[in-house]
Each structure stands twice: as structure tokens, then as C-alpha cells.
Amino acid sequence: MREKVSFTSGGVACAAWHYPGTNGGCVVMTGGFGVTKEPGTDRFAERFAAAGFSVLAFDYRNLGESEGEPRQVARVSDQLADWRAAIAYANTLPGVERVAIWAFSLPGGYIVQLAAEGLGISAAIAQSANVDGPTVTRNASRYQTPGSALRLIGRSLLDLAGSLVGRPPRLVDLAGPPGTVALLNTPDAQLSNATLNPGNRYPEWQQAIAARSVFPAARFRPAKYASQVRCPILYVVCEDDQSALAAPTLKAAASTPNADVLQVPGNHYAPFLDAHEQVVDAELTFLNRHLALSGNKQSPAAENLPETTG
């Protein structure tokens, strides 16, 4: 029910899955920071497609099946440019008349910035979003040992210096226990592999990024765009999130025009775990309200979804 497609961003071919739909709406999706499209989107994309929506789930440049060198380098500015190219491409897909955007974790913060731009987006979903990098980074440091924090800083600086002379990236794991050098050592970050890659379902997913990517991500603060959001947006907030934090997202939502908020119990990955059905139902209700064209037939399941709660 899906096909491989690609689009160009910054001269680089970005790989994507296209799920054809029937109701005129298309959801553009990516995984988290350093998370490729299959582990990051499959479970949600399949449900959106079953409800009649087209889906375009893509990999950022330098990651997954997308082209681009050096590999595993995740630059915020490049990834935002990839989003804009993906949105433009989605608008050219057969039968697509409206576009929504969806992402979680750090790219969930991208959703807030993109929704504030004049990109013609009809709806946006920011799930477990990191909207305040400095605050989240300070909280995450509580779970680092002093030695691992110094090694992460040192590796990031060495990788940044190496990038200036064309050296290959020095990698850090996306997640790891305290005492290891990783992007995140928070308790829920350590659940990422078991949650997104159960039984090693996606063996091609390289769970590491270039250390040069760490500092820009830590400084990224998309909450400053919240008051400028131009389309309906749904914030999905996990009450015990230790990797993205609920409080900054709730504060951003309070300043966002036309925002819905769904709060669920659990950690950063609750929408993939115990809260999955509740979150999917709320997201489908939101998408049917703001994205599906009137007069198009919805799936029976979508017609009977409860209203989103705030």
C-alpha cells in the first residue's frame, strides 16, 4: 500500500514512503532527531493511511535512505529545509489538496516553527515535542555523569573542528545509560530502541549522530514561534516526559492561536506504548476536522472517533 518516492532538497535526493490516500489530505511525517522514517513513523502512518489520508514519510538528508554526505550529520537548518521541500513535494502528489505535518521529539519542535511560516499548511501535530532546547538540555544534564558530559563536549568540539577540514564525523549514540557518551542519558531515552525497534525490526537504523550536531540542537528553541502559528495545531504532551519536558510545551501551547492540547500519562514514548490508541484516535479526529475534505468518504473507524480533549 506504499511506494518509494524521492524529492530534492538542497541538491540532495531525500527518500520517502508515499501512502496514497482517498480524502484529499496528506500528512507529511518524519521520525525524531536521528530516527529514520520506518521506526519513527510506520505505526502512525499506517493508521493515517487506513483512515483515507495520503502520507509522505521521509528521511532527512545524510540519514537513512536519503543521499547526502557526510553521513549521520543532522543540522537543524538543513532538516528544516528538507521539511519545506517535502511539503512542496506533497502538494504535487496525485489527489492531494491539503497538507498537514507531524513529528515528535526535536522535530516535533520543527513543527511549531514550520506552522508559523507561510507554507500553506492546513494542520500540524507536535507530538512529545522539544520546543525549548536550552531548558531540555539543562534537565538532561541531571542524568549525565560529569565525566560523560565532559567527553560529550570534547567529542563535539573535536568533531566540529574536524568538519572544517573535511574529516569524517565522530559519532555519538542517540541514547545511553548515565556514564556513557550519548545525545541523551534520560531514563525514557533509554527506551528508544526497545520502543521504536522491537525485536530489531529495523536493523538498518543507525542509532547515532555526528557529535557536531549536538550543540545546535541544544540551542534550538522553536517555542519563540508559537504565537505566530498560522494553522490549527495539536500538541500531544506526555506528562512524565523526561526527554522533551511537558512544561515548556504547555507554555508554548498557551500562547499558540487555535491550539488543541492532548495530555497523556507516561514518558516520552507513551504515544508509541500504553497511550498509543488514545493518541492515534485524537490525532485522527484532529486530522478529520482540519485536513480531510468535506464530502470525501472517511473510514468507518474515523467517523466514530471521540473529540480531542484539551
Side-chain angles (χ1 to χ4, degrees), residues 138-180:
R138 285 194 297 271
N139 176 75
S141 69
R142 297 166 48 220
Y143 301 96
Q144 288 179 311
T145 64
S148 66
L150 288 173
R151 292 199 301 275
L152 177 62
I153 292 170
R155 192 176 301 181
S156 299
L157 292 172
L158 285 171
D159 193 39
L160 181 59
S163 72
L164 300 178
V165 294
R167 291 182 179 172
R170 296 171 181 259
L171 301 183
V172 296
D173 291 338
L174 294 178
T180 63

Side-chain angles (χ1 to χ4, degrees), residues 43-44 47 127-128 188 191 194-196 236-240 262-282:
R43 291 188 66 194
F44 286 86
R47 297 290 293 274
Q127 179 176 295
S128 307
D188 48 10
L191 302 173
T195 301
L196 302 179
V236 178
V237 180
C238 303
E239 294 170 348
D240 302 313
L262 174 69
Q263 290 184 244
V264 296
N267 62 44
H268 189 62
Y269 291 106
F272 290 87
L273 298 169
D274 292 346
H276 183 64
E277 291 303 322
Q278 180 185 2
V279 171
V280 169
D281 285 354

Side-chain angles (χ1 to χ4, degrees), residues 30-309:
T30 63
F33 195 61
V35 182
T36 51
K37 60 188 181 300
E38 290 85 4
T41 69
D42 275 3
R43 291 188 66 194
F44 286 86
E46 289 165 2
R47 297 290 293 274
F48 297 162
F53 295 99
S54 297
V55 174
L56 182 72
F58 72 95
D59 282 329
Y60 297 111
R61 69 182 78 177
N62 309 331
L63 299 174
E65 295 184 309
S66 289
E67 296 179 357
E69 298 287 344
R71 303 303 294 172
Q72 303 307 119
V73 172
R75 299 185 185 93
V76 170
S77 59
D78 286 349
Q79 293 191 343
L80 284 165
D82 295 346
W83 264 105
R84 297 180 189 108
I87 292 165
Y89 176 71
N91 277 296
T92 71
L93 292 171
V96 171
E97 299 186 48
R98 294 181 181 174
V99 171
I101 55 177
W102 178 104
F104 70 94
S105 203
L106 181 66
Y110 296 169
I111 295 298
V112 180
Q113 178 172 341
L114 292 163
E117 300 178 5
L119 300 175
I121 299 164
S122 294
I125 298 174
Q127 179 176 295
S128 307
N130 178 351
V131 301
D132 190 337
T135 298
V136 168
T137 299
R138 285 194 297 271
N139 176 75
S141 69
R142 297 166 48 220
Y143 301 96
Q144 288 179 311
T145 64
S148 66
L150 288 173
R151 292 199 301 275
L152 177 62
I153 292 170
R155 192 176 301 181
S156 299
L157 292 172
L158 285 171
D159 193 39
L160 181 59
S163 72
L164 300 178
V165 294
R167 291 182 179 172
R170 296 171 181 259
L171 301 183
V172 296
D173 291 338
L174 294 178
T180 63
V181 179
L183 177 67
L184 284 173
N185 302 106
T186 54
D188 48 10
Q190 296 172 53
L191 302 173
S192 60
N193 182 61
T195 301
L196 302 179
N197 188 33
N200 198 32
R201 184 179 300 167
Y202 305 107
E204 298 84 7
W205 174 29
Q206 187 175 357
Q207 298 182 46
I209 60 165
R212 68 189 71 169
S213 306
V214 173
F215 289 153
R219 294 194 300 268
F220 182 56
R221 189 176 178 272
K224 63 187 178 183
Y225 299 100
S227 64
Q228 304 167 42
V229 167
R230 302 185 182 193
C231 66
I233 184 169
L234 172 63
Y235 292 93
V236 178
V237 180
C238 303
E239 294 170 348
D240 302 313
D241 196 328
Q242 297 158 313
S243 295
L245 299 181
T249 306
L250 292 172
K251 182 178 179 181
S255 67
T256 304
N258 205 7
D260 287 350
V261 177
L262 174 69
Q263 290 184 244
V264 296
N267 62 44
H268 189 62
Y269 291 106
F272 290 87
L273 298 169
D274 292 346
H276 183 64
E277 291 303 322
Q278 180 185 2
V279 171
V280 169
D281 285 354
E283 291 180 351
L284 280 171
T285 297
F286 177 81
L287 292 171
N288 276 305
R289 187 186 311 142
H290 298 294
L291 188 64
L293 297 179
S294 59
N296 281 304
K297 183 176 176 58
Q298 300 173 355
S299 68
E303 291 172 355
N304 297 305
L305 292 176
E307 288 296 311
T308 304
T309 56

